[in-house]
Amino acid sequence: MHSVITKETPSDAKDGHAPMRARLRFKLPANLLLLPALVATFVAGAFVSPVFLNPSNIVDNIAGSSAPLALLSLGLTLILLTDNFDLSLQSTVGFAPMLAGLLMVPSEFGGVGANLNPFLGFVIALVLGAGIGAFNAMLIVKVGLNGFMVTLSMLIVVSGLTLGFSNGRTVSPLPDSFTYLGNTHWLGVPVSVWLVGAISLVIGGFLRYHRIGRSIYAIGGNLEAARASGISVDRIRVGVFVVGGALAALGGIVISGITSAVTANQGNNMIFSAFAAVVIGGVSLQGGKGTVLGVLSGVLLLGAITNVLTLAQVSSFWIDAIYGVVILLALLVGRIGGKGHV
Amino acid sequence: MTHVDLSGPPALQATGVSVRFGKTVALDGATLSVQPGEVHGLIGRNGAGKSTLVSVISGLLHPHSGEVRFSEDVAPKAGHVGAWRTHIGTVFQKPMIARELSVLENLFLGAPIVRGAGVVDWSAMRERATSALQEWGIAVDLDAAAGRLTIGQQQLLEILRIMMLGPKVIVLDEPTAKLGRAEAIVLMEHIRLLRSRGISFVYVSHHLNEVLEVCDTVTVVRNGKNVWTRAASDITVPDLTEAMSGGAVSFAGVIDGTRGRTNGAPRDVLQVRDLTTSLLDRVSFAIRPGECVGLAGLKGSGNQEVGKVLAGLAPPRSGVIQIEGKPVNATKVRTMLDAGVGYISGDRHFDGFVPGMSITDNLAMAVLKRVSRFGFVDERRRNQMVSAITAELDVVASSPAQQVASLSGGNQQKVVLGRALASRPKLLVLDNPTAGVDIASRESLFGAVAAACNAGTAALIISDDEEELKRCGRILVMVGGRLSTELAGGSSDSTIMAAMSEGN
């Protein structure tokens, strides 16, 4: 009984041999932890190529290309904060715009001939994403199946559906109003970047100031305590899956807008970058910890690194290996600089 | 006592054992000596040092001073689990079986019979297991999953597993807490059988009648020290209760809530009629405004179950619950919170608080709606509420932004109580509210309860600790899922203890 008491007050431990990690810590606000890494990447980029610091490179190539990953990562973050996760988000990235595309594009370009209104297509894509999220949530939260297995299966099922419906073909060209988010600029900045900014403000404010946002952290921090406090635990856990799915679909729409097409493998492997971005950005895989600002800097860091590697003309066959090593390094830096818990 | 071998050296001898946790002295020169073939009762109330002593003699905890010997051999070094297990085996309150593995695999868990090169010898294990089960008269399938056995069978399985390694001493920590009477009798029979073969037992229990029934000798500990060791045949239950409490007269104020009664609504805050669940049998009682009522009972008596029902965590099978005269359907936490029940559970680490969140967020968790405007948290209003509660409960922290995980146990519990108070309940249901809490924090906690009662809130204190129960205006005692008696407020420790262990 007493041994339990000593465990619950780790701060009282005065045994003189505090763990090594504690001594290595230098304090930085959690949100700014990635700042040194970002600065280092930008300095490296400036040396690698004179083009790197060019505003259009930063705004279009780094920020603009990172927008879909940012949307996906924000959705994943909401789910991770409640101590769940969803691998199938990456399949939604391809499936939602693909189905919408098939419904909108004329039959001579591979559509089904429904010639759907692009706005309706947009809405249908979002609803599909939300629906896939709801289905996952049903199986995980209500039925109680294992989240890893459910969403892994759904990843396979949904990407399989994308292939099946499209016969593996690329659907193109998409209606202009559908690609608006991906290929238009406002004040010289891609609309997708404005979109990410606006959604980040909404989600960030929601998490920080809304009572459901506060409840999300409580659920991820201690599900039972949240339940005992009268928080509608299950409803919120389902809700984050629905929003996460819709954000993944939105990310897919942006990608399709950039290329003005939906390929049958759109979104493949994207979930790994999203996990890397959010964890580097300080979101805990155990739930209850993480901020929008952290996630955005994680996404930006990955985007900047990809850009530097491309500008350095690293052989595309080597990029994956280098990218992976960089993610590991970022995790190590986060472990030493942050409060651990990665 | 013919079976006890008094001539030889003690099978287990712990002398001068002291253990400190930070500033708290858990054991102060405690001593325990058990002869071969002796069943030795170890009793004391919560926090007296029983569990610490069990940890020391089981080799889980290294004492700051003192030593443990087995048949005159100095005990192995702390941490050498394998070496300890050949001397002593402990059956803890929490079942230590792998539920998914078979009975056979559980019997040899961690110590399989191996041939050379670490290859497991299944046929030899099966043979030994079969003969052991036969010898013990336990009829279970060796290949059945252990999780499907009854709790009693699981406990026997654990004892059997311990016996496989041939220790001379077995420690049983509250062995009958989860057993029915029939299963308990089977267990007693096996204890008697083993002791006739020279095996010794250390028997830890709150059930005093049971201790006197099964033990040869009893040692009472209080505040980490031995009170006395006497032969069980010479003593009675009152002797035990007096030794456990030290005959101390309680000076702590009884919360009578007379002031609250005039402030509150005229009718009963809570009325429970014929409440029945799988653990409760037609429990009925009522609490008036401002009253502080104790619901006493040992683990397994059902008193904690009543709390869970009132919190909406355990839907009742039948019965009526009325809050201020209005019937409520106790199937959801939200319903009970809205009806005005503030509950804190007996296990604050399980569902009491969110360790990684700040004090502020933890306190606001249950009342986010009330401190919000249009769904958005009004931080000024929230911070006002938080500072009022932390001041009232005297929470010691560097700032309200401090993580609850980094607070001391007592201050964590203040946060948990504060969260319940924040919803301004009509009825506070507190399950062992001061367990594992230092004395100063205990006073702050009860001060807050008393203040709430004076303001008209009713309180139900669920506990097996006399220190908590004797503060209550009256005490309802539960035994075996039913209400057995009612005691007046300020009853002596020994009266409360005797009433709780009655019929066991």
Side-chain angles (χ1 to χ4, degrees), chain B residues 196-346:
Chain B
S196 69
R197 296 185 199 164
I199 304 291
S200 317
F201 285 88
V202 176
Y203 194 95
V204 183
S205 180
H206 275 111
H207 299 271
L208 304 179
N209 288 317
E210 182 185 295
V211 168
L212 292 182
E213 185 188 328
V214 71
C215 296
D216 304 305
T217 321
V218 180
T219 292
V220 182
V221 290
R222 188 173 71 230
N223 299 334
K225 292 180 183 154
N226 290 58
V227 181
W228 46 244
T229 300
R230 287 161 69 178
S233 50
D234 301 343
I235 49 180
T236 59
V237 169
D239 291 337
L240 291 175
T241 55
E242 197 200 316
M244 285 161 77
S245 60
V249 184
S250 165
F251 294 110
V254 171
I255 305 172
D256 64 358
T258 38
R259 231 175 344 134
R261 211 162 299 151
T262 52
N263 291 349
R267 57 175 157 226
D268 290 338
V269 173
L270 172 71
Q271 241 191 31
V272 175
R273 271 201 310 275
D274 292 334
L275 181 63
T276 303
T277 70
S278 56
L279 297 175
L280 298 177
D281 186 11
R282 283 168 288 139
V283 173
S284 304
F285 62 94
I287 308 180
R288 291 188 304 274
E291 214 183 5
C292 178
V293 175
L295 191 60
L298 299 176
K299 296 256 160 12
S301 67
N303 62 340
Q304 292 182 299
E305 177 85 353
V306 173
K308 286 195 181 131
V309 170
L310 292 175
L313 293 167
R317 196 177 284 167
S318 64
V320 179
I321 297 171
Q322 291 188 334
I323 308 272
E324 291 191 338
K326 278 181 233 121
V328 285
N329 190 7
T331 51
K332 274 202 186 131
V333 177
R334 191 77 254 173
T335 322
M336 298 313 282
L337 271 171
D338 290 344
V341 179
Y343 170 74
I344 75 173
S345 85

Side-chain angles (χ1 to χ4, degrees), chain B residues 340-362:
Chain B
V341 179
Y343 170 74
I344 75 173
S345 85
D347 184 352
R348 61 174 170 269
H349 296 279
F350 177 64
D351 61 5
F353 59 86
V354 183
M357 281 194 336
S358 66
I359 296 174
T360 301
D361 280 334
N362 267 285

Side-chain angles (χ1 to χ4, degrees), chain A residues 2-335:
Chain A
H2 288 277
S3 59
V4 177
I5 295 168
T6 47
K7 263 184 239 151
E8 69 192 30
T9 56
S11 59
D12 290 350
K14 286 166 194 151
D15 296 344
H17 46 266
M20 182 78 153
R21 192 156 42 81
R23 255 177 274 153
L24 280 173
R25 269 179 211 164
F26 49 92
K27 292 269 173 175
L28 253 182
N31 288 333
L32 298 177
L33 269 176
L34 289 181
L35 212 55
L38 269 173
V39 170
T41 311
F42 272 69
V43 170
F47 277 105
V48 163
S49 161
V51 184
F52 182 82
L53 289 179
N54 204 322
S56 81
N57 181 54
I58 290 173
V59 169
D60 283 325
N61 296 341
I62 298 180
S65 334
S66 297
L69 181 62
L71 293 169
L72 184 65
S73 301
L74 287 171
L76 180 63
T77 300
L78 287 175
I79 298 169
L80 284 175
L81 282 177
T82 63
D83 196 15
N84 256 320
F85 63 102
D86 187 351
L87 299 171
S88 69
L89 289 176
Q90 74 163 14
S91 300
T92 304
V93 168
F95 180 70
M98 175 60 85
L99 217 65
L102 288 171
L103 291 171
M104 294 180 302
V105 170
S107 46
E108 59 263 39
F109 293 119
V112 293
N115 293 340
L116 196 73
N117 177 309
F119 294 105
L120 219 53
F122 182 82
V123 172
I124 282 179
L126 292 187
V127 170
L128 280 173
I132 293 169
F135 184 74
N136 283 328
M138 223 36 107
L139 292 179
I140 295 166
V141 177
K142 302 285 184 191
V143 183
L145 297 181
N146 176 276
F148 181 83
M149 286 321 295
V150 166
T151 60
L152 180 64
S153 313
M154 283 298 285
L155 176 148
I156 297 166
V157 170
V158 175
S159 65
L161 287 177
T162 311
L163 277 174
F165 280 122
S166 66
N167 287 322
R169 286 195 305 261
T170 299
V171 173
S172 166
L174 298 169
D176 282 349
S177 35
F178 193 77
T179 60
Y180 186 85
L181 289 178
N183 66 7
T184 321
H185 284 64
W186 287 349
L187 306 174
V189 176
V191 174
S192 58
V193 175
W194 289 109
L195 182 71
V196 169
I199 288 179
S200 299
L201 276 179
V202 170
I203 293 180
F206 178 81
L207 285 176
R208 178 82 181 79
Y209 297 107
H210 196 274
R211 66 186 166 84
I212 293 178
R214 303 315 298 161
S215 303
I216 285 175
Y217 286 99
I219 290 170
N222 183 344
L223 181 71
E224 300 307 327
R227 202 190 293 281
S229 301
I231 291 170
S232 316
V233 170
D234 287 353
R235 213 179 302 166
I236 294 174
R237 288 168 82 206
V238 172
V240 291
F241 272 97
V242 173
V243 175
L247 282 171
L250 191 60
I253 293 170
V254 171
I255 295 178
S256 303
I258 293 172
T259 58
S260 195
V262 196
T263 60
N265 62 3
Q266 177 167 311
N268 278 9
N269 292 340
M270 215 175 149
I271 197 71
F272 302 115
S273 301
F275 263 98
V278 300
V279 172
I280 290 171
V283 177
S284 163
L285 292 178
Q286 277 94 47
K289 210 178 129 204
T291 61
V292 168
L293 204 58
V295 172
L296 289 183
S297 31
V299 171
L300 196 60
L301 181 63
L302 291 191
I305 289 168
T306 314
N307 187 252
V308 172
L309 293 177
T310 313
L311 289 177
Q313 292 176 326
V314 173
S315 153
S316 62
F317 298 116
W318 281 103
I319 280 194
D320 276 356
I322 295 171
Y323 195 59
V325 169
V326 167
I327 291 171
L328 281 176
L329 283 177
L331 285 175
L332 279 171
V333 170
R335 179 76 184 180

Side-chain angles (χ1 to χ4, degrees), chain B residues 286-504:
Chain B
I287 308 180
R288 291 188 304 274
E291 214 183 5
C292 178
V293 175
L295 191 60
L298 299 176
K299 296 256 160 12
S301 67
N303 62 340
Q304 292 182 299
E305 177 85 353
V306 173
K308 286 195 181 131
V309 170
L310 292 175
L313 293 167
R317 196 177 284 167
S318 64
V320 179
I321 297 171
Q322 291 188 334
I323 308 272
E324 291 191 338
K326 278 181 233 121
V328 285
N329 190 7
T331 51
K332 274 202 186 131
V333 177
R334 191 77 254 173
T335 322
M336 298 313 282
L337 271 171
D338 290 344
V341 179
Y343 170 74
I344 75 173
S345 85
D347 184 352
R348 61 174 170 269
H349 296 279
F350 177 64
D351 61 5
F353 59 86
V354 183
M357 281 194 336
S358 66
I359 296 174
T360 301
D361 280 334
N362 267 285
L363 286 175
M365 196 158 60
V367 290
L368 283 169
K369 217 175 234 167
R370 217 185 64 222
V371 295
S372 298
R373 252 181 236 171
F374 313 115
F376 286 91
V377 178
D378 181 342
E379 298 204 341
R380 201 178 50 87
R381 215 193 299 181
R382 181 192 65 186
N383 295 344
Q384 270 174 4
M385 179 208 78
V386 168
S387 54
I389 292 177
T390 48
E392 154 127 39
L393 280 165
D394 193 23
V395 178
V396 182
S398 54
S399 88
Q402 194 177 340
Q403 280 194 0
V404 174
S406 66
L407 297 177
S408 73
N411 282 301
Q412 286 177 347
Q413 189 68 356
K414 288 178 198 168
V415 171
V416 178
L417 178 61
R419 202 192 74 208
L421 287 172
S423 58
R424 294 186 201 133
K426 295 169 188 152
L427 171 69
L428 267 177
V429 179
L430 312 176
D431 187 344
N432 287 290
T434 63
V437 156
D438 62 285
I439 294 169
S441 299
R442 179 177 282 217
E443 292 310 315
S444 310
L445 286 164
F446 273 106
V449 174
C453 284
N454 280 332
T457 303
L460 182 66
I461 296 190
I462 295 162
S463 179
D464 57 358
D465 183 353
E466 312 75 42
E467 261 326 304
E468 294 179 344
L469 290 166
K470 65 190 183 190
R471 314 264 179 136
C472 304
R474 61 193 168 98
I475 303 165
L476 306 169
V477 184
M478 287 192 68
V479 176
R482 295 161 181 239
L483 282 180
S484 63
T485 42
E486 178 169 338
L487 302 173
S491 293
S492 73
D493 289 12
S494 49
T495 315
I496 300 173
M497 235 181 292
M500 286 195 294
S501 63
E502 190 180 282
N504 283 293

